[in-house]
Amino acid sequence: MECLDTTSSLKINYKRNIGTVVVAVEGSKDEFKILKQIFRNVLHYRYIEKSRNKKNFKDYDEFVMKGNENSKVIVINLKNSNIKDIQDDSEYKDELFKLLYIKYDIDIKNIPLYIIWDRDKKSNSKTITKELIKTLGNAYENKNANMNGLLLLSYPSIESFIIENFDQRIKTIGNNNIKEYVSDYLYYIDDISNHTLLKSVVKFHKNLREFGIIGYDTSDCSELGLKIFEEEEQIYNKKGYYQLLSFVVVILIDLNIITER
């Protein structure tokens, strides 16, 4: 997609049939709230979630829009927040994917998988993070990895996506006290709407342009992800904090839910 700079250049395909999609997340709070707001309350898809703290899946199907009955988004979280567990924690993942197969007849290898993670410099190794960006570049299939999945980082955390929905001006927050900033400015996840989602894509595109990127192809996000990773690391090394940026919107673009008008 070309990096577009106005919401009038974009549109939401509300009845886009996406089939079954799985999103694996790091945390157990804001990630679930954000994805529930997007896929259940704004797009009106069938939405299902399972936290590592819960035994069973929770199915939200009361607000499904007519025409979206075959579109299903399942959000799960992995056992730990260390990024190396995306590939290493095979026992927990095998059990989780087995439950998906038993409950919903889903083979994780045959459907798109998106993996949302924070760029936590303190607990996530730069070497491991960079290697995972390189190998997990496609939601459907990765030639150099033993799993499908597209890794989508947020700098410094998922709350950057919330800010992208509501504030087009801010670029950085000193020391990355981002949760405090979101709270102080009363940015509520429940206020994310169709219009703010388009604004978040525009903000994402503006950020890419600042890094010299004028377009990208979501069929292989490795090159884009590595470029942004290196740029963000340089910013952090100079200033001690990251420029706000979240790849969450790439899910909507890759699934052709948000497209050029």
Side-chain angles (χ1 to χ4, degrees):
M1 175 182 268
E2 181 185 352
C3 290
L4 303 169
D5 57 7
T6 62
T7 55
S8 61
S9 302
L10 298 162
K11 67 177 181 179
I12 297 178
N13 298 317
Y14 291 98
K15 292 189 178 181
R16 164 72 176 163
N17 185 350
I18 61 172
T20 299
V21 174
V22 172
V23 185
V25 300
E26 169 189 2
S28 57
K29 189 175 180 181
D30 281 350
E31 288 91 339
F32 281 95
K33 288 182 178 179
I34 288 169
L35 294 167
K36 181 180 175 183
Q37 180 66 16
I38 294 171
F39 290 107
R40 176 180 181 254
N41 298 337
V42 177
L43 297 173
H44 301 292
Y45 290 138
R46 186 178 174 191
Y47 175 83
I48 299 163
E49 65 181 27
K50 185 188 180 303
S51 169
R52 55 179 168 255
N53 303 319
K54 304 292 183 181
K55 183 178 180 180
N56 299 316
F57 289 89
K58 189 168 184 179
D59 194 335
Y60 299 86
D61 60 2
E62 67 270 39
F63 296 127
V64 177
M65 183 186 292
K66 186 177 180 181
N68 286 351
E69 294 89 352
N70 295 323
S71 294
K72 179 167 53 186
V73 177
I74 302 176
V75 181
I76 58 178
N77 61 356
L78 299 185
K79 189 174 181 180
N80 297 300
S81 60
N82 195 309
I83 200 167
K84 70 182 180 64
D85 288 333
I86 292 173
Q87 287 191 317
D88 290 353
D89 195 0
S90 57
E91 183 177 347
Y92 175 81
K93 287 191 303 180
D94 288 347
E95 182 62 29
L96 185 58
F97 296 158
K98 181 181 177 181
L99 287 174
L100 282 172
Y101 184 78
I102 293 171
K103 179 75 173 176
Y104 298 106
D105 195 25
I106 292 170
D107 182 352
I108 195 71
K109 295 180 180 179
N110 295 325
I111 61 171
L113 170 65
Y114 299 94
I115 304 162
I116 296 176
W117 224 262
D118 293 346
R119 174 62 185 119
D120 187 339
K121 196 175 183 70
K122 293 180 180 179
S123 61
N124 291 326
S125 156
K126 177 179 178 179
T127 302
I128 294 173
T129 303
K130 190 173 179 179
E131 186 60 32
L132 286 172
I133 295 171
K134 188 185 300 181
T135 55
L136 299 177
N138 185 284
Y140 299 83
E141 182 180 14
N142 290 300
K143 295 178 181 178
N144 298 318
N146 59 1
M147 61 181 286
N148 58 318
L150 173 54
L151 177 59
L152 302 169
L153 293 184
S154 292
Y155 299 86
S157 64
I158 190 71
E159 285 77 18
S160 292
F161 174 74
I162 302 173
I163 295 175
E164 287 174 344
N165 272 263
F166 302 110
D167 193 331
Q168 297 290 295
R169 300 163 300 170
I170 188 167
K171 294 182 180 180
T172 59
I173 295 173
N175 299 320
N176 286 153
N177 293 323
I178 189 166
K179 291 187 178 181
E180 183 179 324
Y181 182 90
V182 168
S183 176
D184 287 347
Y185 281 82
L186 303 179
Y187 295 142
Y188 297 119
I189 293 171
D190 289 349
D191 290 332
I192 292 174
S193 66
N194 52 0
H195 180 61
T196 70
L197 285 178
L198 294 178
K199 287 175 65 177
S200 71
V201 175
V202 168
K203 177 62 175 172
F204 178 68
H205 285 173
K206 286 180 177 178
N207 287 338
L208 295 190
R209 283 185 175 275
E210 289 181 8
F211 291 130
I213 298 165
I214 60 173
Y216 55 96
D217 181 1
T218 59
S219 66
D220 186 358
C221 274
S222 296
E223 184 177 347
L224 174 64
L226 288 170
K227 166 73 173 172
I228 297 301
F229 181 82
E230 295 295 354
E231 294 282 355
E232 287 281 8
E233 291 302 302
Q234 289 183 32
I235 291 171
Y236 189 93
N237 290 337
K238 289 179 182 178
K239 299 182 177 181
Y241 48 83
Y242 292 110
Q243 180 166 313
L244 304 184
L245 185 144
S246 173
F247 272 77
V248 169
V249 296
V250 172
I251 299 176
L252 304 176
I253 295 165
D254 191 43
L255 293 172
N256 288 314
I257 295 171
I258 292 182
T259 61
E260 294 180 45
R261 184 175 292 278

